[in-house]
Amino acid sequence: MAAHLIVLLLFSVLKGVHSITTVSKVSVEAGKSISIPCLYESQYIDHVKYLCKGYIWGSCRYVVKTNKPDPSGKYSISDDKNQKIFTVTINKLTDKNTDYWCVVEIDNGKDYGQYFQLLVISGTPNVYVDHQRITGYTGESITIRCHHSNSGEMKWCRLGRNCVTGSSGSIDGTTVTAYMREPNVFTVTMSGLQSEDSGWYWCAKGDIQIPVYLNVTEKPITSTTTAATTPTTTTGSSTTHTVTGSGTITTMEQWNISTVEENKEHRSSFDPKILIIPLSVLSLIVIVMLFIWFILRHKQNKAESSATAMAGDEVTHSEVRPKKKRSPKSSFGESDVEIIYSSVVVRKCTERGDRKTTEVTYSTLAEMF
């Protein structure tokens, strides 16, 4: 083992150990993916970078370059020239993906490379984090939980910068606190984040490391989980809202807030002229309905008047029935007597609304002989 380390150290010195900086040993789970950052010096910004696979520097072969992507999709590479870091990603890891070199290509000269090793295991890695890429907001704090199962000193470091090994410290002026309240979990909190804190870090336990990328951005102007104050400042025709507080905005909450803002914009740009046509159609329908109702009502009143006139006619019945009746002779010797009956009946009916009145007149005329 000692001879192995001496050989690697010798190759690193010969190939430019101070030219590229990266992690040394990373534990990963088989079948997963891992991203490895490689920090280079300023003079190599415009140079081609690549990932070389193999244990021996002289016999390793490149698998992906910044100017030659891997068509299989097994490897990918990206170069952040602002931070002078190129990142290689290896997908679907197997026990054959163990030895690699981060390399900067030198025109008309020997390339510079830095070795790193992957420990690919079938179970839980020796050191791992919940997420290899995390996002923090300017002025706030971020917490990283480093899980581990091996022994050794715990470290939180920034790639190419200093490390924090105790319970507190700072990296580039940002306060770092560390504690172990859970078994096999080392918790790191960075407070007062600034945009300059964006970059690659790594968590270590003993000789095993896991790289973590921190992206620090401005917090969206939205309501948070716990809002302290929400002052509003109005200048001219523009309004600026400032929200302070602590909390985490989820993707769904941001989508809902965006939807509310769009609805507000639609309401503010509402044009009353779009109601003219619907209101005109509605008015026309009402006028037609009233006209039809008026005609039907007129016909109904006319029919009722005719019925009332017919009900008010005077009816006269006259009946004359002459009858001749022979009476038996009386003991006094009187002759036959002729009797005439006459009846006159007059009926008059009137109807007023729902009341009906009938007048009846009877007249009787009788003549006897």
Side-chain angles (χ1 to χ4, degrees), residues 1 11 16 30 79 84 88 99 132 156 161 173 204 261 265 277 280 309 336 361:
M1 178 61 71
F11 276 116
D79 188 8
K84 298 181 292 295
V88 294
D99 303 296
Q132 195 179 8
W156 175 255
R161 311 290 178 87
E261 293 298 329
E265 292 179 0
I277 296 177
S280 300
D336 296 337
T361 303

Side-chain angles (χ1 to χ4, degrees), residues 135-143 193 217-220 222-229 243-251 253-254 257:
T135 300
Y137 298 116
T138 303
E140 297 190 357
S141 302
I142 191 71
T143 298
L193 295 173
T217 63
E218 292 292 334
K219 191 171 185 179
T222 56
S223 59
T224 56
T225 304
T226 304
T229 56
V243 179
T244 60
S246 60
T248 302
I249 301 297
T250 63
T251 303
E253 289 171 342
Q254 292 176 351
I257 292 169

Side-chain angles (χ1 to χ4, degrees), residues 250-356:
T250 63
T251 303
M252 182 60 69
E253 289 171 342
Q254 292 176 351
W255 180 85
N256 289 334
I257 292 169
S258 177
T259 303
V260 171
E261 293 298 329
E262 290 178 359
N263 291 337
K264 288 182 179 179
E265 292 179 0
H266 286 305
R267 288 196 295 267
S268 62
S269 60
F270 175 74
D271 187 1
K273 294 181 180 179
I274 64 177
L275 292 177
I276 294 177
I277 296 177
L279 289 176
S280 300
V281 174
L282 181 60
S283 301
L284 181 60
I285 292 174
V286 172
I287 292 172
V288 171
M289 294 299 293
L290 289 175
F291 181 73
I292 294 173
W293 177 83
F294 177 78
I295 293 175
L296 294 176
R297 184 64 179 171
H298 178 72
K299 290 183 177 180
Q300 183 179 0
N301 291 338
K302 187 175 181 180
E304 290 178 355
S305 299
S306 299
T308 303
M310 292 177 64
D313 290 344
E314 217 176 75
V315 181
T316 303
H317 298 278
S318 178
E319 182 181 2
V320 178
R321 292 182 298 170
K323 292 184 180 181
K324 185 174 183 181
K325 185 176 180 182
R326 184 178 298 272
S327 301
K329 293 182 178 181
S330 65
S331 59
F332 299 99
E334 297 172 347
S335 60
D336 296 337
V337 179
E338 188 175 300
I339 302 173
I340 297 175
Y341 298 92
S342 176
S343 300
V344 178
V345 180
V346 179
R347 291 193 180 102
K348 184 178 183 181
C349 300
T350 60
E351 183 175 352
R352 298 178 181 176
D354 58 348
R355 298 179 60 188
K356 186 175 181 181

